[in-house]
Amino acid sequence: MPADCGIDEAAAVLRAGGLVAFPTETVYGLGANALDPNAAARIFEAKARPSFDPLISHLADAADLPALVGAVPPAVAALADRFWPGPLTLIVDRPAAIPPIVTSGLDTMAVRVPDEPSARALIAAAGVPVAAPSANRFGQLSPTRAEHVVAGLGGAVDVVLDGGPTRCGIESTIVDARGERPVVLRLGALPVEALVEAVGPVEVRQGSSGRPVAPGTLAAHYAPRTPLRLDAVGAHDGGRRGFLAFREPPADGDWAAVEVLSPSGDLTAAAARLFDALHRLDAAGVTEIVAEAVPDAGVGRAVNDRLRRAAATWH
Ligand code: AMP
Ligand code: MG
Protein backbone atom coordinates (compact mmCIF):
# COMPACT_ATOMS: atom_id res chain seq x y z
CA MET A 1 0.00 0.00 0.00
CA PRO A 2 1.93 3.10 -1.13
CA ALA A 3 1.81 5.51 1.81
CA ASP A 4 2.50 8.64 -0.22
CA CYS A 5 0.30 7.70 -3.14
CA GLY A 6 -1.13 10.76 -4.90
CA ILE A 7 -4.41 11.23 -6.74
CA ASP A 8 -3.01 10.45 -10.20
CA GLU A 9 -1.40 7.23 -9.01
CA ALA A 10 -4.62 6.21 -7.22
CA ALA A 11 -6.64 7.00 -10.37
CA ALA A 12 -4.33 4.74 -12.37
CA VAL A 13 -4.94 1.95 -9.83
CA LEU A 14 -8.71 2.41 -10.33
CA ARG A 15 -8.38 2.30 -14.12
CA ALA A 16 -6.31 -0.88 -13.82
CA GLY A 17 -9.10 -2.62 -11.87
CA GLY A 18 -7.71 -2.04 -8.37
CA LEU A 19 -9.32 -0.94 -5.10
CA VAL A 20 -8.77 2.57 -3.72
CA ALA A 21 -10.14 3.68 -0.35
CA PHE A 22 -10.75 7.42 -0.31
CA PRO A 23 -12.39 10.04 1.92
CA THR A 24 -15.75 11.55 1.01
CA GLU A 25 -17.68 14.08 3.12
CA THR A 26 -19.77 11.20 4.53
CA VAL A 27 -17.49 8.22 5.32
CA TYR A 28 -14.47 6.62 3.62
CA GLY A 29 -15.44 4.75 0.45
CA LEU A 30 -13.94 1.61 -1.03
CA GLY A 31 -13.74 2.50 -4.71
CA ALA A 32 -13.48 0.49 -7.91
CA ASN A 33 -14.14 1.22 -11.59
CA ALA A 34 -17.95 0.90 -11.88
CA LEU A 35 -17.68 -0.05 -15.55
CA ASP A 36 -15.51 -3.10 -14.77
CA PRO A 37 -17.36 -6.14 -13.36
CA ASN A 38 -14.14 -7.76 -12.13
CA ALA A 39 -13.15 -4.63 -10.22
CA ALA A 40 -16.64 -4.43 -8.70
CA ALA A 41 -16.40 -8.09 -7.69
CA ARG A 42 -13.27 -7.25 -5.70
CA ILE A 43 -15.30 -4.79 -3.58
CA PHE A 44 -17.76 -7.51 -2.57
CA GLU A 45 -14.86 -9.85 -1.81
CA ALA A 46 -12.83 -7.33 0.24
CA LYS A 47 -15.88 -6.32 2.32
CA ALA A 48 -17.37 -9.83 2.53
CA ARG A 49 -20.49 -8.03 1.31
CA PRO A 50 -23.41 -10.20 0.20
CA SER A 51 -23.92 -10.00 -3.56
CA PHE A 52 -27.56 -8.86 -3.06
CA ASP A 53 -26.50 -5.51 -1.55
CA PRO A 54 -26.01 -3.04 -4.45
CA LEU A 55 -23.26 -0.40 -4.62
CA ILE A 56 -23.49 3.37 -4.97
CA SER A 57 -21.64 4.80 -7.99
CA HIS A 58 -19.86 8.14 -7.64
CA LEU A 59 -19.44 10.80 -10.31
CA ALA A 60 -17.03 13.76 -10.44
CA ASP A 61 -19.68 16.20 -11.63
CA ALA A 62 -23.48 16.40 -11.88
CA ALA A 63 -23.11 17.02 -15.62
CA ASP A 64 -21.72 13.49 -15.94
CA LEU A 65 -25.10 11.97 -15.00
CA PRO A 66 -27.00 12.47 -18.29
CA ALA A 67 -23.83 11.41 -20.12
CA LEU A 68 -23.92 8.10 -18.23
CA VAL A 69 -27.64 7.32 -17.96
CA GLY A 70 -29.32 9.41 -20.67
CA ALA A 71 -32.57 11.22 -19.87
CA VAL A 72 -33.13 11.81 -16.15
CA PRO A 73 -36.64 12.23 -14.65
CA PRO A 74 -37.28 15.93 -13.85
CA ALA A 75 -37.67 15.39 -10.10
CA VAL A 76 -34.37 13.50 -9.95
CA ALA A 77 -32.63 16.20 -11.98
CA ALA A 78 -34.06 18.88 -9.69
CA LEU A 79 -32.69 17.13 -6.57
CA ALA A 80 -29.29 16.62 -8.20
CA ASP A 81 -29.29 20.27 -9.17
CA ARG A 82 -30.13 21.38 -5.65
CA PHE A 83 -27.97 19.03 -3.56
CA TRP A 84 -24.98 17.87 -5.63
CA PRO A 85 -22.20 17.80 -4.77
CA GLY A 86 -23.47 16.51 -1.44
CA PRO A 87 -24.59 13.63 0.76
CA LEU A 88 -27.63 12.71 -1.36
CA THR A 89 -27.75 9.46 -3.35
CA LEU A 90 -30.35 9.27 -6.12
CA ILE A 91 -31.90 6.23 -7.81
CA VAL A 92 -31.94 6.17 -11.62
CA ASP A 93 -32.39 3.50 -14.28
CA ARG A 94 -29.28 1.39 -14.75
CA PRO A 95 -27.60 2.12 -18.09
CA ALA A 96 -26.11 -0.74 -20.11
CA ALA A 97 -22.59 0.56 -19.38
CA ILE A 98 -22.97 -0.33 -15.68
CA PRO A 99 -22.58 -4.11 -15.23
CA PRO A 100 -25.34 -5.84 -13.22
CA ILE A 101 -22.94 -6.90 -10.45
CA VAL A 102 -22.71 -3.21 -9.39
CA THR A 103 -26.49 -3.02 -8.85
CA SER A 104 -26.90 -6.60 -7.60
CA GLY A 105 -28.97 -7.36 -10.68
CA LEU A 106 -31.40 -4.47 -10.18
CA ASP A 107 -32.47 -2.46 -13.21
CA THR A 108 -31.89 0.69 -11.16
CA MET A 109 -28.64 2.20 -9.91
CA ALA A 110 -27.73 4.45 -7.00
CA VAL A 111 -25.54 7.44 -7.82
CA ARG A 112 -24.14 10.60 -6.26
CA VAL A 113 -21.50 13.33 -6.53
CA PRO A 114 -19.50 13.62 -3.28
CA ASP A 115 -18.87 17.03 -1.71
CA GLU A 116 -15.17 16.40 -1.16
CA PRO A 117 -12.81 18.00 -3.68
CA SER A 118 -10.15 15.26 -3.44
CA ALA A 119 -12.77 12.57 -4.10
CA ARG A 120 -14.06 14.41 -7.16
CA ALA A 121 -10.48 14.97 -8.37
CA LEU A 122 -9.82 11.23 -8.01
CA ILE A 123 -12.96 10.27 -9.95
CA ALA A 124 -12.25 12.86 -12.64
CA ALA A 125 -8.66 11.64 -13.01
CA ALA A 126 -9.85 8.02 -13.24
CA GLY A 127 -12.28 9.09 -15.98
CA VAL A 128 -14.86 6.48 -14.97
CA PRO A 129 -17.75 6.30 -12.50
CA VAL A 130 -16.46 4.89 -9.22
CA ALA A 131 -18.54 2.32 -7.32
CA ALA A 132 -17.84 2.84 -3.63
CA PRO A 133 -19.61 1.45 -0.58
CA SER A 134 -18.26 2.27 2.87
CA ALA A 135 -14.68 1.01 3.29
CA ASN A 136 -15.37 -1.46 6.10
CA ARG A 137 -16.23 -5.14 6.45
CA PHE A 138 -19.92 -5.72 5.81
CA GLY A 139 -22.12 -4.95 8.82
CA GLN A 140 -19.37 -3.39 10.92
CA LEU A 141 -18.83 0.20 12.03
CA SER A 142 -18.40 2.66 9.17
CA PRO A 143 -14.94 4.23 8.71
CA THR A 144 -14.58 7.96 9.25
CA ARG A 145 -10.76 7.97 9.38
CA ALA A 146 -8.09 6.32 7.22
CA GLU A 147 -6.94 4.40 10.32
CA HIS A 148 -10.38 2.75 10.53
CA VAL A 149 -10.00 1.58 6.92
CA VAL A 150 -6.54 0.15 7.47
CA ALA A 151 -7.61 -1.60 10.69
CA GLY A 152 -10.71 -3.09 9.06
CA LEU A 153 -9.64 -3.93 5.52
CA GLY A 154 -5.85 -3.63 5.57
CA GLY A 155 -4.22 -5.70 2.86
CA ALA A 156 -7.44 -6.16 0.86
CA VAL A 157 -7.10 -2.56 -0.45
CA ASP A 158 -4.47 -1.45 -3.00
CA VAL A 159 -4.37 2.20 -1.89
CA VAL A 160 -5.76 4.11 1.10
CA LEU A 161 -5.88 7.89 0.60
CA ASP A 162 -5.78 9.72 3.96
CA GLY A 163 -7.82 12.91 4.07
CA GLY A 164 -8.25 13.04 7.84
CA PRO A 165 -11.61 12.64 9.60
CA THR A 166 -14.66 12.97 7.33
CA ARG A 167 -16.89 16.04 7.73
CA CYS A 168 -20.39 14.51 8.01
CA GLY A 169 -19.36 11.19 9.57
CA ILE A 170 -22.53 9.42 8.48
CA GLU A 171 -23.63 7.90 5.16
CA SER A 172 -25.57 9.67 2.41
CA THR A 173 -29.35 9.95 2.37
CA ILE A 174 -30.78 7.71 -0.39
CA VAL A 175 -33.84 8.97 -2.29
CA ASP A 176 -35.88 7.42 -5.08
CA ALA A 177 -37.51 10.41 -6.80
CA ARG A 178 -38.62 8.60 -9.94
CA GLY A 179 -42.25 8.29 -8.83
CA GLU A 180 -44.93 10.77 -7.87
CA ARG A 181 -43.60 11.43 -4.36
CA PRO A 182 -39.90 11.09 -3.45
CA VAL A 183 -39.17 8.12 -1.18
CA VAL A 184 -36.33 8.20 1.34
CA LEU A 185 -34.82 4.70 1.28
CA ARG A 186 -32.09 5.40 3.83
CA LEU A 187 -31.84 8.23 6.36
CA GLY A 188 -28.47 9.93 6.13
CA ALA A 189 -26.37 13.06 6.30
CA LEU A 190 -28.83 15.18 4.30
CA PRO A 191 -31.74 15.80 6.71
CA VAL A 192 -35.28 14.93 5.62
CA GLU A 193 -36.26 18.51 6.52
CA ALA A 194 -33.89 19.84 3.82
CA LEU A 195 -35.49 17.54 1.24
CA VAL A 196 -39.00 18.61 2.22
CA GLU A 197 -38.05 22.25 2.00
CA ALA A 198 -36.72 21.67 -1.52
CA VAL A 199 -39.34 19.35 -3.03
CA GLY A 200 -42.32 19.21 -0.64
CA PRO A 201 -43.59 16.10 1.14
CA VAL A 202 -41.50 12.92 1.00
CA GLU A 203 -42.18 9.41 2.20
CA VAL A 204 -39.66 7.89 4.61
CA ARG A 205 -39.53 4.14 4.19
CA GLN A 206 -37.79 2.80 7.27
CA GLY A 207 -36.11 -0.55 7.43
CA SER A 208 -33.75 -1.91 4.82
CA SER A 209 -33.16 0.54 1.99
CA GLY A 210 -36.17 -0.55 -0.02
CA ARG A 211 -34.34 -3.47 -1.55
CA PRO A 212 -36.19 -6.77 -1.80
CA VAL A 213 -33.72 -8.46 0.53
CA ALA A 214 -34.22 -11.15 3.15
CA PRO A 215 -36.36 -9.58 5.91
CA GLY A 216 -34.29 -8.19 8.74
CA THR A 217 -30.95 -8.80 7.08
CA LEU A 218 -29.99 -5.18 6.95
CA ALA A 219 -31.84 -4.29 10.14
CA ALA A 220 -28.63 -5.37 11.84
CA HIS A 221 -25.79 -3.20 10.61
CA TYR A 222 -23.21 -0.56 11.54
CA ALA A 223 -22.32 -2.63 14.60
CA PRO A 224 -19.33 -2.59 16.93
CA ARG A 225 -17.85 -5.96 17.98
CA THR A 226 -18.95 -5.15 21.53
CA PRO A 227 -22.67 -5.70 22.23
CA LEU A 228 -24.54 -2.39 22.11
CA ARG A 229 -27.79 -1.50 23.88
CA LEU A 230 -29.85 1.59 23.11
CA ASP A 231 -31.42 3.56 25.98
CA ALA A 232 -30.94 0.60 28.30
CA VAL A 233 -31.80 2.14 31.67
CA GLY A 234 -30.57 -0.02 34.52
CA ALA A 235 -29.49 -2.92 32.30
CA HIS A 236 -26.21 -4.26 33.65
CA ASP A 237 -24.36 -7.45 32.84
CA GLY A 238 -21.84 -6.88 35.64
CA GLY A 239 -18.86 -6.32 33.37
CA ARG A 240 -16.94 -3.19 32.37
CA ARG A 241 -19.35 -0.96 30.46
CA GLY A 242 -18.93 1.93 28.07
CA PHE A 243 -21.41 4.79 27.59
CA LEU A 244 -22.13 6.77 24.45
CA ALA A 245 -23.71 10.06 25.52
CA PHE A 246 -25.26 12.84 23.46
CA ARG A 247 -24.44 16.01 25.50
CA GLU A 248 -23.02 15.01 28.87
CA PRO A 249 -21.60 12.03 30.71
CA PRO A 250 -24.12 10.02 32.76
CA ALA A 251 -24.53 11.33 36.30
CA ASP A 252 -24.39 7.90 37.89
CA GLY A 253 -23.27 4.39 37.13
CA ASP A 254 -19.91 2.77 36.99
CA TRP A 255 -18.57 3.43 33.48
CA ALA A 256 -15.17 2.22 32.30
CA ALA A 257 -15.29 4.46 29.23
CA VAL A 258 -17.51 7.39 28.23
CA GLU A 259 -17.78 9.21 24.91
CA VAL A 260 -19.77 12.44 24.54
CA LEU A 261 -20.99 13.23 21.02
CA SER A 262 -21.61 16.98 21.34
CA PRO A 263 -21.43 18.95 24.63
CA SER A 264 -23.25 21.83 22.91
CA GLY A 265 -26.04 19.55 21.69
CA ASP A 266 -25.27 20.07 18.00
CA LEU A 267 -26.70 17.18 15.98
CA THR A 268 -24.40 17.76 12.99
CA ALA A 269 -21.37 17.58 15.28
CA ALA A 270 -22.84 14.48 16.96
CA ALA A 271 -23.23 12.73 13.59
CA ALA A 272 -19.66 13.63 12.66
CA ARG A 273 -18.36 11.97 15.84
CA LEU A 274 -20.71 8.98 16.00
CA PHE A 275 -18.66 6.24 14.34
CA ASP A 276 -15.34 7.54 15.67
CA ALA A 277 -16.74 7.41 19.22
CA LEU A 278 -18.10 3.90 18.65
CA HIS A 279 -14.73 2.75 17.25
CA ARG A 280 -13.07 4.07 20.44
CA LEU A 281 -15.59 2.43 22.77
CA ASP A 282 -15.16 -0.79 20.81
CA ALA A 283 -11.41 -0.64 21.47
CA ALA A 284 -11.80 0.23 25.16
CA GLY A 285 -12.06 -3.34 26.39
CA VAL A 286 -15.64 -3.06 27.64
CA THR A 287 -18.12 -5.94 27.62
CA GLU A 288 -21.12 -3.78 26.71
CA ILE A 289 -21.78 -0.34 25.21
CA VAL A 290 -24.87 1.56 26.35
CA ALA A 291 -25.86 4.28 23.89
CA GLU A 292 -28.23 7.16 24.42
CA ALA A 293 -30.52 8.16 21.54
CA VAL A 294 -30.21 11.75 20.31
CA PRO A 295 -33.14 14.12 19.55
CA ASP A 296 -35.05 12.65 16.59
CA ALA A 297 -34.82 15.65 14.25
CA GLY A 298 -32.58 16.69 11.38
CA VAL A 299 -29.53 14.49 11.03
CA GLY A 300 -30.37 13.13 14.51
CA ARG A 301 -32.86 10.80 12.81
CA ALA A 302 -30.00 9.20 10.87
CA VAL A 303 -27.88 8.94 14.03
CA ASN A 304 -30.72 7.14 15.84
CA ASP A 305 -31.24 4.91 12.79
CA ARG A 306 -27.57 3.82 12.96
CA LEU A 307 -27.78 3.23 16.72
CA ARG A 308 -30.96 1.13 16.36
CA ARG A 309 -29.35 -1.03 13.69
CA ALA A 310 -26.16 -1.43 15.72
CA ALA A 311 -28.28 -2.50 18.71
CA ALA A 312 -30.37 -4.87 16.55
CA THR A 313 -27.28 -6.95 15.90
CA TRP A 314 -27.24 -7.95 19.56
CA HIS A 315 -30.91 -8.73 20.20
P1 AMP B 1 -23.10 1.61 1.53
O1 AMP B 1 -22.53 2.36 0.39
O2 AMP B 1 -22.31 0.43 1.97
O3 AMP B 1 -23.41 2.52 2.69
O4 AMP B 1 -24.48 1.00 1.07
C1 AMP B 1 -25.15 1.40 -0.11
C2 AMP B 1 -26.63 1.38 0.11
O5 AMP B 1 -27.25 1.79 -1.10
C3 AMP B 1 -27.17 0.01 0.46
O6 AMP B 1 -28.01 0.12 1.57
C4 AMP B 1 -27.96 -0.38 -0.77
O7 AMP B 1 -29.07 -1.18 -0.46
C5 AMP B 1 -28.37 0.98 -1.35
N1 AMP B 1 -28.59 0.90 -2.80
C6 AMP B 1 -27.65 0.79 -3.77
N2 AMP B 1 -28.23 0.70 -4.99
C7 AMP B 1 -29.56 0.77 -4.81
C8 AMP B 1 -30.69 0.73 -5.68
N3 AMP B 1 -30.56 0.60 -7.00
N4 AMP B 1 -31.92 0.81 -5.12
C9 AMP B 1 -32.08 0.95 -3.78
N5 AMP B 1 -31.04 0.98 -2.90
C10 AMP B 1 -29.80 0.90 -3.40
MG1 MG C 1 -21.91 0.61 4.54
PDB file of all heavy atoms in Angstrom, residues 47 49 133-134 136 142 171 186 221-222, ligand 2:
ATOM      1  N   LYS A  47     -14.976  -6.672   1.229  1.00  0.00           N
ATOM      2  CA  LYS A  47     -15.879  -6.321   2.324  1.00  0.00           C
ATOM      3  C   LYS A  47     -16.610  -7.523   2.891  1.00  0.00           C
ATOM      4  O   LYS A  47     -17.295  -7.396   3.900  1.00  0.00           O
ATOM      5  CB  LYS A  47     -16.945  -5.333   1.826  1.00  0.00           C
ATOM      6  CG  LYS A  47     -16.476  -3.914   1.638  1.00  0.00           C
ATOM      7  CD  LYS A  47     -17.632  -3.048   1.150  1.00  0.00           C
ATOM      8  CE  LYS A  47     -18.837  -3.021   2.073  1.00  0.00           C
ATOM      9  NZ  LYS A  47     -18.772  -2.068   3.183  1.00  0.00           N
ATOM     10  N   ARG A  49     -19.141  -8.595   1.461  1.00  0.00           N
ATOM     11  CA  ARG A  49     -20.487  -8.030   1.313  1.00  0.00           C
ATOM     12  C   ARG A  49     -21.336  -8.996   0.512  1.00  0.00           C
ATOM     13  O   ARG A  49     -20.904  -9.483  -0.531  1.00  0.00           O
ATOM     14  CB  ARG A  49     -20.371  -6.698   0.582  1.00  0.00           C
ATOM     15  CG  ARG A  49     -21.672  -5.916   0.383  1.00  0.00           C
ATOM     16  CD  ARG A  49     -21.346  -4.646  -0.388  1.00  0.00           C
ATOM     17  NE  ARG A  49     -22.473  -3.815  -0.698  1.00  0.00           N
ATOM     18  CZ  ARG A  49     -22.772  -2.657  -0.058  1.00  0.00           C
ATOM     19  NH1 ARG A  49     -22.033  -2.250   0.944  1.00  0.00           N
ATOM     20  NH2 ARG A  49     -23.786  -1.924  -0.440  1.00  0.00           N
ATOM     21  N   PRO A 133     -18.896   1.562  -1.853  1.00  0.00           N
ATOM     22  CA  PRO A 133     -19.615   1.454  -0.583  1.00  0.00           C
ATOM     23  C   PRO A 133     -18.670   1.903   0.534  1.00  0.00           C
ATOM     24  O   PRO A 133     -17.523   2.279   0.261  1.00  0.00           O
ATOM     25  CB  PRO A 133     -19.897  -0.039  -0.474  1.00  0.00           C
ATOM     26  CG  PRO A 133     -18.733  -0.676  -1.165  1.00  0.00           C
ATOM     27  CD  PRO A 133     -18.290   0.289  -2.248  1.00  0.00           C
ATOM     28  N   SER A 134     -19.137   1.891   1.760  1.00  0.00           N
ATOM     29  CA  SER A 134     -18.261   2.266   2.866  1.00  0.00           C
ATOM     30  C   SER A 134     -17.091   1.276   2.950  1.00  0.00           C
ATOM     31  O   SER A 134     -17.248   0.080   2.686  1.00  0.00           O
ATOM     32  CB  SER A 134     -19.057   2.284   4.171  1.00  0.00           C
ATOM     33  OG  SER A 134     -19.775   1.072   4.331  1.00  0.00           O
ATOM     34  N   ASN A 136     -15.441  -0.639   4.887  1.00  0.00           N
ATOM     35  CA  ASN A 136     -15.365  -1.465   6.098  1.00  0.00           C
ATOM     36  C   ASN A 136     -15.836  -2.870   5.746  1.00  0.00           C
ATOM     37  O   ASN A 136     -16.387  -3.092   4.661  1.00  0.00           O
ATOM     38  CB  ASN A 136     -16.275  -0.883   7.187  1.00  0.00           C
ATOM     39  CG  ASN A 136     -17.717  -0.724   6.718  1.00  0.00           C
ATOM     40  OD1 ASN A 136     -17.985  -0.693   5.516  1.00  0.00           O
ATOM     41  ND2 ASN A 136     -18.631  -0.622   7.642  1.00  0.00           N
ATOM     42  N   SER A 142     -18.883   1.946  10.344  1.00  0.00           N
ATOM     43  CA  SER A 142     -18.403   2.661   9.166  1.00  0.00           C
ATOM     44  C   SER A 142     -17.109   3.411   9.490  1.00  0.00           C
ATOM     45  O   SER A 142     -16.895   3.826  10.625  1.00  0.00           O
ATOM     46  CB  SER A 142     -19.472   3.638   8.680  1.00  0.00           C
ATOM     47  OG  SER A 142     -20.608   2.914   8.269  1.00  0.00           O
ATOM     48  N   GLU A 171     -23.428   8.170   6.571  1.00  0.00           N
ATOM     49  CA  GLU A 171     -23.629   7.903   5.157  1.00  0.00           C
ATOM     50  C   GLU A 171     -24.631   8.863   4.506  1.00  0.00           C
ATOM     51  O   GLU A 171     -25.394   9.539   5.187  1.00  0.00           O
ATOM     52  CB  GLU A 171     -24.110   6.458   4.952  1.00  0.00           C
ATOM     53  CG  GLU A 171     -23.088   5.397   5.300  1.00  0.00           C
ATOM     54  CD  GLU A 171     -22.994   5.097   6.786  1.00  0.00           C
ATOM     55  OE1 GLU A 171     -23.660   5.784   7.596  1.00  0.00           O
ATOM     56  OE2 GLU A 171     -22.250   4.170   7.136  1.00  0.00           O
ATOM     57  N   ARG A 186     -33.004   5.474   2.684  1.00  0.00           N
ATOM     58  CA  ARG A 186     -32.095   5.397   3.834  1.00  0.00           C
ATOM     59  C   ARG A 186     -31.916   6.799   4.395  1.00  0.00           C
ATOM     60  O   ARG A 186     -31.618   7.723   3.644  1.00  0.00           O
ATOM     61  CB  ARG A 186     -30.726   4.837   3.423  1.00  0.00           C
ATOM     62  CG  ARG A 186     -29.704   4.855   4.577  1.00  0.00           C
ATOM     63  CD  ARG A 186     -28.364   4.249   4.227  1.00  0.00           C
ATOM     64  NE  ARG A 186     -27.574   5.097   3.357  1.00  0.00           N
ATOM     65  CZ  ARG A 186     -26.381   4.756   2.846  1.00  0.00           C
ATOM     66  NH1 ARG A 186     -25.879   3.558   3.116  1.00  0.00           N
ATOM     67  NH2 ARG A 186     -25.720   5.576   2.065  1.00  0.00           N
ATOM     68  N   HIS A 221     -26.831  -3.794  11.437  1.00  0.00           N
ATOM     69  CA  HIS A 221     -25.790  -3.203  10.613  1.00  0.00           C
ATOM     70  C   HIS A 221     -25.046  -2.160  11.432  1.00  0.00           C
ATOM     71  O   HIS A 221     -25.469  -1.810  12.528  1.00  0.00           O
ATOM     72  CB  HIS A 221     -26.453  -2.541   9.399  1.00  0.00           C
ATOM     73  CG  HIS A 221     -25.633  -2.600   8.150  1.00  0.00           C
ATOM     74  ND1 HIS A 221     -25.405  -3.765   7.455  1.00  0.00           N
ATOM     75  CD2 HIS A 221     -24.974  -1.638   7.463  1.00  0.00           C
ATOM     76  CE1 HIS A 221     -24.667  -3.496   6.385  1.00  0.00           C
ATOM     77  NE2 HIS A 221     -24.377  -2.210   6.365  1.00  0.00           N
ATOM     78  N   TYR A 222     -23.952  -1.655  10.905  1.00  0.00           N
ATOM     79  CA  TYR A 222     -23.207  -0.558  11.536  1.00  0.00           C
ATOM     80  C   TYR A 222     -22.786  -0.918  12.958  1.00  0.00           C
ATOM     81  O   TYR A 222     -22.796  -0.073  13.851  1.00  0.00           O
ATOM     82  CB  TYR A 222     -24.048   0.734  11.591  1.00  0.00           C
ATOM     83  CG  TYR A 222     -24.672   1.143  10.286  1.00  0.00           C
ATOM     84  CD1 TYR A 222     -26.034   1.024  10.064  1.00  0.00           C
ATOM     85  CD2 TYR A 222     -23.882   1.668   9.254  1.00  0.00           C
ATOM     86  CE1 TYR A 222     -26.609   1.421   8.867  1.00  0.00           C
ATOM     87  CE2 TYR A 222     -24.458   2.074   8.061  1.00  0.00           C
ATOM     88  CZ  TYR A 222     -25.820   1.939   7.876  1.00  0.00           C
ATOM     89  OH  TYR A 222     -26.394   2.347   6.716  1.00  0.00           O
TER      90      TYR A 222
HETATM   91 MG    MG B   2     -21.909   0.606   4.536  1.00  0.00          MG
END
